[in-house]
């Protein structure tokens, strides 16, 4: 199974330690693996497994007292939600905001569609061009250039939240979710396409997309 790359990168310190040949504490391995399993489960539509794995990852990190890493676990969860157009408040992170590092605060604001220009440099590199785009076309181009599938979907979700998602952005989000087999975001983005087709009066296209959604829903 292909391992997804998380946004933001959760355990850069783990990778550095591994490269240096130093022993890696069990909590780091456990939390990293659980977070990846949780994100994949959420994106494929398995909420129960996602909740269990995120809780396990959170517990592993909590016993270190590291606010920065705990914030990243919560933000990773919220990033998967934004990719799936579940645009609720990132409540787990908000409880940590006061003590969270500036980079984590900037990313949380980005996910909420509230990032400030002064925070853009603090964002993960793949999101800076999207956040700093001066036009909808530039934002779409920046989103389309993101190679990592999850990061691309997160950027698309941020653009939709800010009412800046062009048809090209929406189509790319559908194609990305489909290629990865991520049922939850695929259904969400197909729903956006269907709604826009209905608003444009193209009922034939809307019905085609609804039939496709029914097919995806039946793949559980």
């Amino acid at each position: 199974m292909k391992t997804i790359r998380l946004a933001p990168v959760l355990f850069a310190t783990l990778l550095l330690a591994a490269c240096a040949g130093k022993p890696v504490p069990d909590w780091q391995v456990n939390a990293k693996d659980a977070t990846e399993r949780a994100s994949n489960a959420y994106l494929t539509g398995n909420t129960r497994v996602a909740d269990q794995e995120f809780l396990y990852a959170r517990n592993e990190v909590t016993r270190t007292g590291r606010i920065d890493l705990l914030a990243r676990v919560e933000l990773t969860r919220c990033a998967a939600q934004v990719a799936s157009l579940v645009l609720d408040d990132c409540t787990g992170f908000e409880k940590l905001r006061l003590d969270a590092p500036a980079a984590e605060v900037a990313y949380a604001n980005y996910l909420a569609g509230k990032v400030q220009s002064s925070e853009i440099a603090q964002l993960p590199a793949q999101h800076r061009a999207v956040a700093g785009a001066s036009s909808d076309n530039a934002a779409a181009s920046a989103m389309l250039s993101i190679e990592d599938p999850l990061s691309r979907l997160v950027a698309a979700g941020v653009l939709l939240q800010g009412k800046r998602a062009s048809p090209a952005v929406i189509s790319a989000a559908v194609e990305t979710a489909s290629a990865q087999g991520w049922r939850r975001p695929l259904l969400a983005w197909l729903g956006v396409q269907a709604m826009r087709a209905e608003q444009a009066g193209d009922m034939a296209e809307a019905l085609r997309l609804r039939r496709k959604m029914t097919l995806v829903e039946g793949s559980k």
Side-chain angles (χ1 to χ4, degrees):
M1 180 181 295
K2 183 179 179 180
T3 300
I4 61 174
R5 292 192 298 168
L6 302 178
V9 177
L10 178 57
F11 287 105
T13 52
L14 170 62
L15 297 177
L16 290 174
C19 291
K22 297 179 181 179
V24 178
D26 287 345
W27 71 264
Q28 284 186 314
V29 177
N30 294 341
K32 174 182 178 292
D33 290 348
T35 304
E36 290 177 350
R37 289 193 300 268
S39 291
N40 191 62
Y42 183 84
L43 293 166
T44 55
N46 196 330
T47 303
R48 181 183 61 82
V49 171
D51 288 345
Q52 290 174 343
E53 295 290 353
F54 271 123
L55 179 60
Y56 180 65
R58 195 180 192 285
N59 288 341
E60 288 294 289
V61 172
T62 297
R63 61 192 177 97
T64 71
R66 292 279 300 272
I67 297 293
D68 58 336
L69 294 183
L70 185 57
R72 291 175 196 177
V73 171
E74 297 294 351
L75 289 171
T76 299
R77 184 173 195 167
C78 293
Q81 293 173 340
V82 170
S84 305
L85 302 184
V86 179
L87 305 177
D88 299 330
D89 292 338
C90 192
T91 54
F93 173 79
E94 291 305 321
K95 297 175 182 177
L96 306 169
R97 178 182 284 270
L98 188 62
D99 299 310
E104 279 63 44
V105 172
Y107 190 69
N109 291 342
Y110 173 72
L111 292 178
K114 300 175 182 177
V115 69
Q116 303 298 311
S117 58
S118 59
E119 297 176 312
I120 292 175
Q122 296 276 3
L123 293 176
Q126 63 268 37
H127 291 290
R128 292 172 194 160
V130 175
S134 58
S135 68
D136 291 356
N137 286 339
S141 178
M143 174 264 176
L144 293 169
S145 71
I146 296 175
E147 295 184 3
D148 174 56
L150 181 53
S151 296
R152 191 183 310 132
L153 283 174
V154 170
V158 169
L159 291 177
L160 185 73
Q161 189 172 198
K163 303 186 188 308
R164 302 183 69 189
S166 66
V169 167
I170 297 169
S171 293
V174 168
E175 292 168 4
T176 299
S178 175
Q180 298 300 313
W182 288 340
R183 182 187 298 111
R184 193 187 299 270
L186 178 56
L187 284 170
W189 287 101
L190 284 172
V192 172
Q193 280 190 324
M195 182 181 67
R196 292 201 173 186
E198 290 167 353
Q199 291 172 344
D202 190 347
M203 298 310 298
E205 175 65 3
L207 289 172
R208 184 189 72 81
L209 290 165
R210 296 291 181 191
R211 290 194 297 271
K212 190 170 184 177
M213 292 173 68
T214 298
L215 178 66
V216 176
E217 287 172 341
S219 65
K220 295 182 181 179

